[in-house]
Amino acid sequence: MSTCQTQKYGPLTGITFFETYTDGSPKGCAFDEPNTINTPVGILVPNYGPSNLRNREGLALEFFKSGQIKSIDLENTTEIITSLGTLSAERISFYENGRIHRLFPLNGRINGYWTENDEYTLAKPIDFDLAVGSFSAKIVSLCFYESGALKSLTMWPQETIELNSPDGLVKVRYGFSLYENGKLKSFEPALPEPIVTPIGIVIAYDSTAHGINCDENSVNYSPTGVIRSLITGNNGLMITEPEGKIFIQPLMKPGTLDPDVMVPEPMTIIFTDGKMEILQDEIVTVDLQTATVRAILVHDPMKKSCGDCSSCSSCG
């Protein structure tokens, strides 16, 4: 198939690959010639032609079953108007109503010939002035609510910023998420961070964080700024209940860089309605109305917890 007639965007030509839903409606296309797509953010040209060192292979244009555009890989970097101002984009995904869902300033494929560092070098810092802080950083992607408000921001691993949080000024890696009103919902600590919780101060840090996207992160707050959950690899918990005492701490497991070195695997602590849940290989639930819990430092927060990471950017 070299041509397809779409209900909402007219004829598409030069199709080299065409995927459909079970009812035959278009799901996605790849092209070898230019097409123009009239979208709510302007006229866009999907990527076309053979792949090269940096360009991704695959579908350049995807649709919802309704026929509305779902995502587009752009032929050229394009200026897009957003709630944060005009931003450059190489890939955009949409909500079904046509509003921007995610925007990617760059969209190169990472492989043995085009590395993460090559892509990072192309990235340009973007200035932000948000309720949680003002900063400049190189961005992997931005996620928006349907209202246009910023939902989450994901940075390159080499970047760190400072934000205002309910626990004061914090240093952030990978990124953060916001509530629709602009208040901080979650963030990924760049360093072990002391967080006020119902059981006292707990050191939050996830040595295994990946930063693929930052919709969810290690430290999570309620809309009113109360801690909801965190991940720690530094604290153990001494739990005193009417039945007796138990001590729970991060499990020691083989390191990812050196399996012969045992390192603490971070555990998740969730606070809800007077209860605390500890997530490891199993889930332990503690009633904070009847139990006393003390957080005890078991691993030095200033010591790297993932082994020999001199060549790794994850810890900064």
Side-chain angles (χ1 to χ4, degrees):
M1 175 183 288
S2 61
T3 304
C4 170
Q5 181 67 37
T6 65
Q7 182 180 359
K8 299 183 183 297
Y9 305 101
L12 302 176
T13 62
I15 296 174
T16 58
F17 181 82
F18 186 69
E19 187 176 352
T20 65
Y21 288 99
T22 53
D23 63 358
S25 59
K27 187 176 183 180
C29 311
F31 307 95
D32 63 4
E33 65 180 56
N35 286 266
T36 56
I37 309 297
N38 192 3
T39 76
V41 296
I43 296 176
L44 304 176
V45 178
N47 182 52
Y48 63 91
S51 62
N52 57 34
L53 180 65
R54 182 174 175 269
N55 286 357
R56 291 179 182 269
E57 297 176 315
L59 300 175
L61 189 62
E62 293 182 278
F63 301 96
F64 289 103
K65 200 168 185 180
S66 63
Q68 294 282 5
I69 186 172
K70 185 176 184 181
S71 69
I72 182 169
D73 288 356
L74 297 163
E75 173 65 14
N76 297 302
T77 303
T78 304
E79 297 297 305
I80 303 296
I81 297 175
T82 74
S83 60
L84 299 176
T86 301
L87 300 173
S88 297
E90 289 189 353
R91 174 178 169 81
I92 307 171
S93 67
F94 297 88
Y95 290 102
E96 201 159 356
N97 63 5
R99 298 289 185 90
I100 296 175
H101 180 210
R102 293 188 193 274
L103 182 148
F104 299 80
L106 297 177
N107 190 42
R109 58 174 176 172
I110 306 302
N111 53 44
Y113 303 99
W114 187 261
T115 67
E116 178 184 292
N117 193 58
D118 291 325
E119 193 77 350
Y120 174 72
T121 301
L122 286 183
K124 296 179 180 178
I126 301 174
D127 295 329
F128 294 90
D129 185 11
L130 307 173
V132 293
S134 299
F135 57 90
S136 179
K138 293 186 177 184
I139 304 302
V140 173
S141 68
L142 299 164
C143 182
F144 297 89
Y145 289 98
E146 288 190 59
S147 65
L150 181 62
K151 185 175 184 180
S152 71
L153 180 152
T154 304
M155 303 182 296
W156 286 93
Q158 298 90 331
E159 300 285 288
T160 58
I161 59 173
E162 289 186 335
L163 294 180
N164 295 308
S165 81
D167 285 280
L169 194 64
V170 294
K171 197 165 186 178
V172 176
R173 63 174 178 160
Y174 294 139
F176 59 91
S177 67
L178 302 174
Y179 286 101
E180 202 161 359
N181 62 5
K183 290 186 177 181
L184 187 64
K185 183 177 182 181
S186 68
F187 74 94
E188 198 61 52
L191 299 169
E193 197 69 54
I195 302 295
V196 177
T197 79
I199 61 171
I201 299 292
V202 177
I203 303 296
Y205 186 74
D206 182 4
S207 60
T208 65
H210 50 69
I212 294 175
N213 75 59
C214 287
D215 294 354
E216 300 291 338
N217 300 285
S218 297
V219 179
N220 292 271
Y221 297 104
S222 74
T224 58
V226 176
I227 190 68
R228 276 184 166 172
S229 68
L230 58 80
I231 295 176
T232 181
N234 302 102
N235 281 116
L237 302 174
M238 178 62 73
I239 304 167
T240 304
E241 298 178 297
E243 300 81 11
K245 292 184 177 183
I246 59 172
F247 183 66
I248 299 175
Q249 64 178 317
L251 302 174
M252 300 300 291
K253 296 192 175 182
T256 55
L257 298 179
D258 185 353
D260 293 330
V261 177
M262 301 297 285
V263 297
E265 182 179 70
M267 61 185 186
T268 299
I269 306 174
I270 301 173
F271 301 98
T272 54
D273 301 326
K275 297 184 183 297
M276 177 180 71
E277 287 187 333
I278 306 162
L279 278 59
Q280 287 186 307
D281 291 345
E282 297 180 352
I283 300 175
V284 176
T285 301
V286 179
D287 187 344
L288 297 179
Q289 306 298 318
T290 59
T292 300
V293 182
R294 287 192 300 126
I296 299 173
L297 192 65
V298 292
H299 296 290
D300 184 353
M302 300 311 296
K303 181 180 178 181
K304 303 295 186 184
S305 59
C306 50
D308 181 11
C309 53
S310 58
S311 61
C312 172
S313 64
S314 296
C315 297

